Amino acid sequence: MVAIDTQRNKIVGVATTFTMKSADERSDGMLPLRIFKPIHALLNRLVRCFMKHPEYGNIPTHKIIVFQKLGVHQDYAGRGIGTMLRKSNTQLARSKGCEMVIAMATAPATHKMYPRLGFTDLYEIKYNDFEFEGQRPFEDVTACQSAKLFYKEIA
């Protein structure tokens, strides 16, 4: 989903989602570029924590939508564009029969936004604690201390 400044004919925000797949349906497809592997591993760990949760792990995966990436051009930050995109994503997911939304937040703005949208904080992974291939790839991140997984029932 995209947000467009129609006066300037410019894309100002982007939000991506996907429908959850069960473990036996998942495929790695093309491996991400080496530089992106640590963040993919971090986000996958959050999703695995959700799938193992006793209360939520039994929801049919095709009924769960995952909010993955959200970006707003810096000149348009603070105008509610990210919130509008996620509200639209939620409405679309509900219209498609989804029962739950999970959202991964890796920045301070989304850590604040999701609770305002009625999401509950379920898991958190501190960047300093996360290891990937024997290293701590996010230990120097200072803008945000952790990645969080939020959820919201929408049925």
Side-chain angles (χ1 to χ4, degrees):
M1 190 166 287
V2 297
I4 299 173
D5 178 339
T6 56
Q7 292 178 347
R8 296 188 178 145
N9 198 28
K10 179 179 180 178
I11 294 175
V12 298
V14 177
T16 64
T17 65
F18 64 89
T19 303
M20 179 78 73
K21 291 185 177 183
S22 64
D24 57 329
E25 293 176 305
R26 289 187 196 125
S27 67
D28 290 334
M30 294 179 60
L31 290 176
L33 295 174
R34 176 89 181 121
I35 194 169
F36 296 119
K37 283 185 177 184
I39 192 68
H40 283 275
L42 176 71
L43 299 177
N44 285 336
R45 185 174 299 169
L46 285 171
V47 170
R48 284 193 309 274
C49 288
F50 175 82
M51 295 303 289
K52 290 178 183 176
H53 192 282
E55 189 173 342
Y56 306 112
N58 61 358
I59 295 173
T61 55
H62 68 280
K63 298 285 187 178
I64 302 170
I65 195 86
V66 179
F67 288 177
Q68 189 175 27
K69 294 179 177 77
L70 177 66
V72 175
H73 190 283
Q74 64 185 8
D75 293 346
Y76 293 81
R79 298 184 189 183
I81 293 169
T83 298
M84 176 209 52
L85 286 167
R86 286 309 190 208
K87 284 181 177 179
S88 296
N89 287 145
T90 301
Q91 291 171 350
L92 180 61
R94 189 178 289 119
S95 75
K96 300 284 185 183
C98 289
E99 297 176 3
M100 172 139 335
V101 176
I102 63 173
M104 294 173 271
T106 58
T110 51
H111 283 199
K112 293 175 188 172
M113 180 188 70
Y114 288 119
R116 284 195 315 261
L117 292 173
F119 284 74
T120 301
D121 186 341
L122 188 62
Y123 292 107
E124 178 176 27
I125 298 174
K126 301 278 186 193
Y127 289 138
N128 285 338
D129 296 337
F130 178 73
E131 288 190 23
F132 177 74
E133 295 181 349
Q135 297 185 10
R136 295 179 187 250
F138 306 116
E139 67 184 350
D140 293 330
V141 173
T142 58
C144 188
Q145 300 301 310
S146 64
K148 292 185 176 187
L149 182 88
F150 293 89
Y151 76 97
K152 181 178 182 177
E153 295 182 36
I154 61 171

